[in-house]
Amino acid sequence: GAGVSQTPSNKVTEKGKYVELRCDPISGHTALYWYRQSLGQGPEFLIYFQGTGAADDSGLPNDRFFAVRPEGSVSTLKIQRTERGDSAVYLCASSLGPPGQGRSPLHFGNGTRLTVT
Amino acid sequence: DQQVKQNSPSLSVQEGRISILNCDYTNSMFDYFLWYKKYPAEGPTFLISISSIKDKNEDGRFTVFLNKSAKHLSLHIVPSQPGDSAVYFCAASARVAETSGSRLTFGEGTQLTVNP
């Protein structure tokens, strides 16, 4: 597809369970970002990948959150021992990179709506 | 610490009139600014951007103005159309280091409603 693809579109899980959220970036985009958007707020940065490595994970709220991008394309955001406060829309975005080659806008997927009951 | 702030949660205008959406920022390291539009159940879509070396950028019906001394930017849409009804997010980034990429800091968003 032409855009950023995120699966699943909706995920309902029980408190304490483990979840994985998947992101397929635009082909050829080396930079990948995860954001989290709570109701009534703008997206908040979680983590940035340049290629396979996490160049900036300073936005991850705690060690229950982890993300990987083993082959420099698809990324998975993993949340352990989910809490009700983790409920939000998790957005993935990609852009042409790396930094130093000029700014390019982020292209977002439609997000995964996570609900922790 | 809200570094990018959109003080108006909502704005309503008549079709054909001008829509003006405002955004303020506090971080003087920000040097690149963007506006995104978001429809329900979709991700934000890039609309227009401006570098801090400019004070205006225009693309069709959309114009972004940057006032660095006031740390303020605005998005003008003219003429407004009902299809423009969406949430508009202001975002900013700073080239702090090579590892920062194009990390964006977003405002809270403004819901624009254009009435026919």
Side-chain angles (χ1 to χ4, degrees):
Chain A
V4 177
S5 176
Q6 291 189 247
T7 54
S9 56
N10 282 282
K11 176 71 177 177
V12 181
T13 191
E14 292 180 348
K15 178 176 177 295
K17 298 289 189 182
Y18 168 82
V19 296
E20 289 189 353
L21 312 179
R22 177 187 166 105
C23 172
D24 271 286
I26 293 172
S27 177
H29 281 193
T30 61
L32 185 145
Y33 305 77
W34 283 98
Y35 282 77
R36 177 169 73 173
Q37 185 177 12
S38 301
L39 196 62
Q41 300 296 317
E44 292 180 293
F45 171 79
L46 295 177
I47 187 169
Y48 156 61
F49 287 89
Q50 182 54 50
T52 60
D56 181 357
D57 64 358
S58 62
L60 294 178
N62 52 60
D63 61 6
R64 295 187 298 106
F65 289 75
F66 189 71
V68 295
R69 194 186 185 200
E71 296 178 0
S73 179
V74 170
S75 176
T76 305
L77 178 66
K78 308 181 181 193
I79 311 174
Q80 299 177 319
R81 304 183 304 281
T82 51
E83 300 177 356
R84 293 195 180 88
D86 299 335
S87 297
V89 176
Y90 288 81
L91 293 163
C92 176
S94 68
S95 71
L96 291 170
Q101 294 185 358
R103 303 293 181 89
S104 57
L106 272 59
H107 299 269
F108 284 86
N110 288 337
T112 294
R113 180 175 296 279
L114 176 66
T115 304
V116 182
T117 62
Chain B
D1 176 24
Q2 191 69 26
Q3 297 186 57
V4 177
K5 194 144 184 66
Q6 295 174 254
N7 289 310
S8 298
S10 62
L11 174 68
S12 184
V13 300
Q14 283 299 120
E15 181 178 6
R17 300 290 188 101
I18 184 171
S19 296
I20 300 177
L21 298 124
N22 293 301
C23 177
D24 297 291
Y25 62 95
T26 58
N27 189 341
S28 57
M29 297 296 290
F30 287 147
D31 65 348
Y32 185 58
F33 304 89
L34 309 90
W35 284 93
Y36 280 80
K37 179 169 74 172
K38 186 182 182 304
Y39 294 116
E42 294 184 10
T45 302
F46 170 71
L47 200 54
I48 192 169
S49 63
I50 188 167
S51 165
S52 60
I53 63 173
K54 295 185 175 181
D55 55 18
K56 176 182 175 181
N57 189 26
E58 190 172 352
D59 183 1
R61 296 185 298 114
F62 302 90
T63 303
V64 56
F65 294 92
L66 176 62
N67 183 333
K68 289 189 293 293
S69 61
K71 293 191 175 66
H72 177 85
L73 66 156
S74 61
L75 175 68
H76 292 208
I77 307 172
V78 56
S80 301
Q81 299 173 354
D84 296 330
S85 298
V87 176
Y88 288 77
F89 289 101
C90 168
S93 75
R95 187 181 294 280
V96 176
E98 286 302 305
T99 56
S100 65
S102 295
R103 169 179 176 168
L104 298 177
T105 301
F106 284 84
E108 308 94 320
T110 297
Q111 171 70 58
L112 173 66
T113 302
V114 181
N115 300 303

